[in-house]
Amino acid sequence: MSNKPLNEDIHYLNGQIDALTALVMAVANCTVDKHEFRTSGLLRLQAVETALLHQSVPESRLIAIEHMKQWLENVTN
């Protein structure tokens, strides 16, 4: 392992994302129907995207939101 801080290690960050994804899905499965989860999630993601469009943010943040929308559609179908 290198001396690079963990927050700069893309593999660590991807592992964190995978772990958070698993936890979010576990909570969603325990609390609501997957279609309700999809609808609510897409509405919240749209709200975040709209807010970001009114700010000066890097394009990669908007791309990340779009990728999350696609992920949500895939895991709830």
Side-chain angles (χ1 to χ4, degrees), residues 27-44:
V27 169
N29 286 335
C30 293
T31 58
V32 295
D33 173 76
K34 71 178 180 177
H35 300 291
E36 290 176 59
F37 176 63
R38 179 184 332 136
T39 300
S40 178
L42 289 174
L43 286 171
R44 288 175 181 266

Side-chain angles (χ1 to χ4, degrees), residues 32-75:
V32 295
D33 173 76
K34 71 178 180 177
H35 300 291
E36 290 176 59
F37 176 63
R38 179 184 332 136
T39 300
S40 178
L42 289 174
L43 286 171
R44 288 175 181 266
L45 288 169
Q46 185 63 49
V48 170
E49 184 178 44
T50 299
L52 290 176
L53 287 171
H54 291 89
Q55 300 174 27
S56 177
V57 297
E59 183 70 18
S60 58
R61 285 189 66 184
L62 297 171
I63 291 169
I65 300 295
E66 186 58 37
H67 287 169
M68 191 56 66
K69 287 183 195 174
Q70 293 168 7
W71 172 86
L72 182 59
E73 290 281 350
N74 290 336
V75 299

Side-chain angles (χ1 to χ4, degrees), residues 3 9 13 15 17 20-22 25 31 52 68 73-75:
N3 291 333
D9 181 340
L13 295 174
I17 291 167
L20 287 171
T21 297
M25 291 307 297
T31 58
L52 290 176
M68 191 56 66
E73 290 281 350
N74 290 336
V75 299

